[in-house]
Amino acid sequence: MLALIEIRRRKLQFGFVTGVVLLIAYLIMMVTGLGLGLNQQAGTALLNLNGDHLAYASNANLSVIRSRLADSDVSEIRSIPEVERATPLGYVAVVIEYAPETSDTAAILGVIPGSFAEPEVIEGRSIAGPNEILIDRTWTRLAGAGVGDSLALPVAFDTRTFTVVGIVDQGYFFFQPAMYVDLSAWQAIVFQGEGAQQPAASVVLLQGQQLAGRSGAGWQIVTKQDGFENIEGVRAQQSTVDALRYMGLLIGAMVIGVFFYVITLQKTALLGILKAIGASGVYLVTQGLLQVLVVSVAGAGLAVGLALLTEATVLSSDSIPIRFTWGAIATAAISVVVAGLVGVALSARQVTSIDPIIAMQQQ
Amino acid sequence: MTILQLHDVAKSFGEGSQRVDAVRGVTFAVGRGEVVALAGPSGSGKSTLLALAGALLSPTSGAITVDGKDITRYGARARTRYRRDRVGFVFQGSNMVPFLTARENLLLVGEFGGIDRSALRRRADELLEKLDLAGVRDQIATRLSGGERQRVAIARALMRDPALLLVDEPTASLNLELGIRVVDALVNEVHVRNKACIMVTHDDRMARRADRLVEIRDGQVLAG
Ligand SMILES: Nc1ncnc2c1ncn2[C@@H]1O[C@H](COP(=O)(O)OP(=O)(O)O)[C@@H](O)[C@H]1O
Ligand SMILES: [Mg+2]
């Protein structure tokens, strides 16, 4: 009762801390959401691939950009007994001018039509010929293109016109909206010139058990997750975001902890009197915990609301790479509550060590 | 019948040249239904004696028994429980919880456990009535006058029906007329409820309203 009545009667003071907790929780949610959003841009399309391993050229250092596999590599990889299914996948970044003077980069992925590397089409149909293309929703929103439109892609020193036959929902591949063409069309785009050896694929997508770590003369296999984490910038991005998140949590714990430490100090005289008339240290610490719980749960709860509101308004456009998931929101909210409880644990010692004799020393 | 018995109680603070002998070999008893006024100049050891009787301090030597039990042997938890159940304190300063109303300040003692709360509500209303506080029962403590605050403090000390009341200069901040009214209310409660009470005061006019006067100088009892 004491803890709750105090909150009710000192609304300004407790409202202020609740506001601080709210802002910290919201900040952590934004940072976590930014991490998620950036990761999505880094490669949802890669993570969405219907396989569990990827084979890269061994000299590519696990970079899809640099990886080029020859026919012989692909057939060697296919012949590994543990490989259940394998399909070549080509990747190349192209700049597409989708309106006069307006262009953007897209990730062109070459797949064999009908193979398990081909994504599910959410509108239109799959590719059936070398001049057809599937585009991702993100590109549709960016460039306004839809089923039936034409796209001019640079092929050798010319452009070739592709017809959009379907829309997919795979997201980004390597920070670029994913597009899917016939593997032969990809080969035409990355054509090395007469006489040079033509690549068969960038990587091979694999299904099968215990393939990670396998390697041959020109290739090596890693898990899809490893492949994702080796996308240039993903690791650095992830550790930056994590550092910001932990920083936010630390600041949160400190602010909440210091606040309760200060109000404990302010109340030392009162706590002394309560002890003198029979309150136990456990009772007083429990009241403190209750207050922190109320304040931090209220702050975190309001932050969840604010995050949802942000998601519904500001983030409904694609320009800000922040994505909220329930997991991220819940993690941030729970962390802030835990940080608060850690904070109060620090003032618990303070409370239990108050000597009730101070009740007699006040005038 | 004796409730509180101090036997050759001494208390000193500090060590060596810093040592202060606040209480030196005090022996006296307080019986049921008796108000003892403890008088003496400032620094003579009155508050220290009160703190010893209320288990806020442990004596350097000597025995303090309450209802025959030696409270100096109590551990930390037993002391907390003793203060909660057996003692009613009224301190010198403002000892209200500032954000609670007069009535809530009384009900507060139910928070610490070991008592039936519905009985406490009845008791709180009864005490508020008796001490002329019914009109300010829902007033926040900081809005109460000095006299009202002291009477709330007395009412709170009586809430759990303690055997022993320990009161430190209850009228220090009040004018004479108000002071006498507060002391009379206190003395009346002690008589009616058959409690033992030590009231520290340096004011003769207050001391005269007690049943007995114990004078203390330099930590020693002069007359009893
Ligand atoms: N915690 C303490 N530490 C050191 N000296 C103390 C302490 N408490 C009281 N004293 C000393 O003990 C003596 C008696 O103090 P006190 O009991 O407060 O006197 P009174 O209440 O009669 O004015 C004083 O000299 C005081 O300075
Ligand atoms: Mg004193």
Side-chain angles (χ1 to χ4, degrees):
Chain A
M1 137 180 146
L2 201 55
L4 302 181
I5 292 185
E6 184 176 20
I7 292 178
R8 257 199 348 252
R9 305 256 163 94
R10 292 185 165 161
K11 286 201 184 72
L12 198 70
Q13 204 178 19
F14 283 92
F16 173 75
V17 211
T18 307
V20 171
V21 173
L22 183 160
L23 291 178
I24 290 169
Y26 183 63
L27 179 76
I28 296 170
M29 283 172 197
M30 292 294 271
V31 169
T32 312
L34 182 69
L36 274 171
L38 288 175
N39 260 357
Q40 280 190 6
Q41 292 203 339
T44 358
L46 187 147
L47 288 175
N48 282 344
L49 286 171
N50 182 26
D52 23 52
H53 292 83
L54 289 168
Y56 290 78
S58 43
N59 60 4
N61 198 19
L62 298 183
S63 156
V64 224
I65 307 182
R66 284 188 292 274
S67 184
R68 290 285 182 266
L69 294 170
D71 273 322
S72 56
D73 296 321
V74 176
S75 38
E76 219 177 293
I77 294 162
R78 265 187 212 286
S79 64
I80 300 171
E82 285 84 359
V83 168
E84 287 158 15
R85 291 210 284 172
T87 185
L89 192 69
Y91 161 80
V92 65
V94 299
V95 174
I96 302 174
E97 195 175 308
Y98 56 88
E101 307 286 306
T102 324
S103 55
D104 221 314
T105 316
I108 303 297
L109 298 168
V111 296
I112 295 172
S115 75
F116 66 95
E118 201 182 18
E120 193 192 326
V121 174
I122 56 169
E123 187 193 329
R125 59 167 176 83
S126 333
I127 31 181
N131 293 322
E132 294 184 350
I133 191 166
L134 299 175
I135 62 173
D136 189 71
R137 288 193 311 130
T138 49
W139 183 269
T140 313
R141 262 178 269 161
L142 176 78
V147 174
D149 291 345
S150 308
L151 271 186
L153 301 194
V155 171
F157 293 103
D158 202 0
T159 55
R160 192 204 284 184
T161 304
F162 287 79
T163 307
V164 177
V165 294
I167 311 287
V168 295
D169 185 15
Q170 299 295 308
Y172 294 84
F173 193 95
F174 206 77
F175 302 99
Q176 301 139 358
M179 296 188 180
Y180 298 80
V181 295
D182 189 303
L183 192 65
S184 66
W186 170 78
Q187 276 161 334
I189 297 170
V190 297
F191 182 69
Q192 304 286 303
E194 295 296 342
Q197 197 199 355
Q198 302 302 321
S202 299
V203 293
V204 178
L205 179 64
L206 299 166
Q207 291 178 348
Q209 302 297 310
Q210 281 152 356
L211 290 167
R214 294 298 190 85
S215 60
W219 51 269
Q220 66 178 121
I221 298 175
V222 294
T223 61
K224 190 170 69 175
Q225 187 62 35
D226 259 356
F228 171 74
E229 281 165 16
N230 275 284
I231 291 176
E232 279 87 341
V234 165
R235 279 231 174 93
Q237 175 181 292
Q238 202 54 47
S239 47
T240 309
V241 164
D242 281 346
L244 284 173
R245 219 162 78 195
Y246 294 131
M247 202 68 165
L249 278 179
L250 193 70
I251 295 172
M254 277 172 66
V255 168
I256 299 170
V258 166
F259 175 79
F260 279 96
Y261 183 74
V262 168
I263 59 172
T264 304
L265 285 186
Q266 267 180 8
K267 284 199 286 200
T268 304
L270 178 62
L271 297 177
I273 289 170
L274 293 177
K275 278 191 166 183
I277 63 171
S280 64
V282 173
Y283 169 81
L284 295 175
V285 172
T286 310
Q287 297 297 303
L289 278 175
L290 199 59
Q291 288 188 335
V292 175
L293 212 60
V294 168
V295 163
S296 55
V297 166
L302 289 171
V304 171
L306 195 59
L308 295 179
L309 193 71
T310 312
E311 163 122 76
T313 55
V314 184
L315 298 181
S316 54
S317 74
D318 268 329
S319 50
I320 305 167
I322 292 182
R323 293 292 167 271
F324 288 126
T325 61
W326 276 111
I329 290 178
T331 310
I334 291 167
S335 322
V336 168
V337 173
V338 171
L341 294 180
V342 169
V344 83
L346 300 178
S347 12
R349 261 184 62 91
Q350 190 72 20
V351 172
T352 48
S353 67
I354 291 173
D355 190 337
I357 188 68
I358 61 171
M360 303 213 60
Q361 290 155 357
Q362 297 164 46
Q363 293 304 306
Chain B
M1 193 178 117
T2 301
I3 290 190
L4 171 71
Q5 170 76 58
L6 283 84
H7 185 80
D8 201 16
V9 172
K11 176 70 183 177
S12 52
F13 298 101
E15 300 270 318
S17 60
Q18 305 282 302
R19 185 174 146 137
V20 179
D21 293 311
V23 173
R24 311 192 242 188
V26 166
T27 299
F28 77 88
V30 188
R32 195 175 285 281
E34 184 181 37
V35 179
V36 169
L38 194 60
S42 178
S44 56
K46 305 184 295 293
S47 295
T48 303
L49 259 182
L50 220 54
L52 287 167
L56 291 176
L57 290 175
S58 298
T60 311
S61 64
I64 303 170
T65 57
V66 175
D67 283 336
K69 291 196 199 79
D70 188 352
I71 65 164
T72 62
R73 291 170 198 271
Y74 286 173
R77 284 184 64 172
R79 289 153 72 98
T80 299
R81 193 159 291 182
Y82 165 73
R83 289 197 300 265
R84 186 188 75 182
D85 297 336
R86 310 293 290 150
V87 180
F89 269 115
V90 180
F91 302 108
Q92 201 170 341
S94 159
N95 40 74
M96 301 286 96
V97 177
F99 52 83
L100 296 182
T101 65
R103 187 166 184 270
E104 286 166 345
N105 263 289
L106 301 194
L107 295 176
L108 174 69
V109 299
E111 288 272 292
F112 312 147
I115 201 158
D116 169 38
R117 300 244 201 145
S118 63
L120 275 185
R121 275 193 287 276
R122 255 177 283 125
R123 181 128 182 81
D125 292 332
E126 183 190 313
L127 282 166
L128 287 167
E129 195 71 49
K130 222 178 214 169
L131 290 167
D132 219 2
L133 291 163
V136 294
R137 68 204 286 272
D138 296 320
Q139 193 89 254
I140 297 286
T142 47
R143 297 268 176 82
L144 297 172
S145 71
E148 286 163 347
R149 232 176 281 171
Q150 272 317 14
R151 278 177 285 148
V152 174
I154 290 167
R156 186 179 68 192
L158 292 165
M159 278 294 286
R160 292 184 76 131
D161 204 18
L164 184 61
L165 265 181
L166 300 173
V167 185
D168 198 4
E169 312 236 14
T171 61
S173 58
L174 308 179
N175 63 38
L176 179 62
E177 192 199 340
L178 214 67
I180 287 174
R181 266 176 50 199
V182 167
V183 170
D184 282 349
L186 176 71
V187 170
N188 182 257
E189 272 300 307
V190 173
H191 288 163
V192 169
R193 301 223 161 232
N194 236 352
K195 301 186 183 310
C197 174
I198 302 179
M199 177 177 74
V200 168
T201 180
H202 57 242
D203 190 328
D204 279 351
R205 291 164 302 192
M206 305 298 163
R208 249 179 270 131
R209 311 194 87 85
D211 302 305
R212 188 152 61 92
L213 176 70
V214 172
E215 276 193 272
I216 177 168
R217 290 278 138 80
D218 291 330
Q220 284 177 308
V221 171
L222 288 188

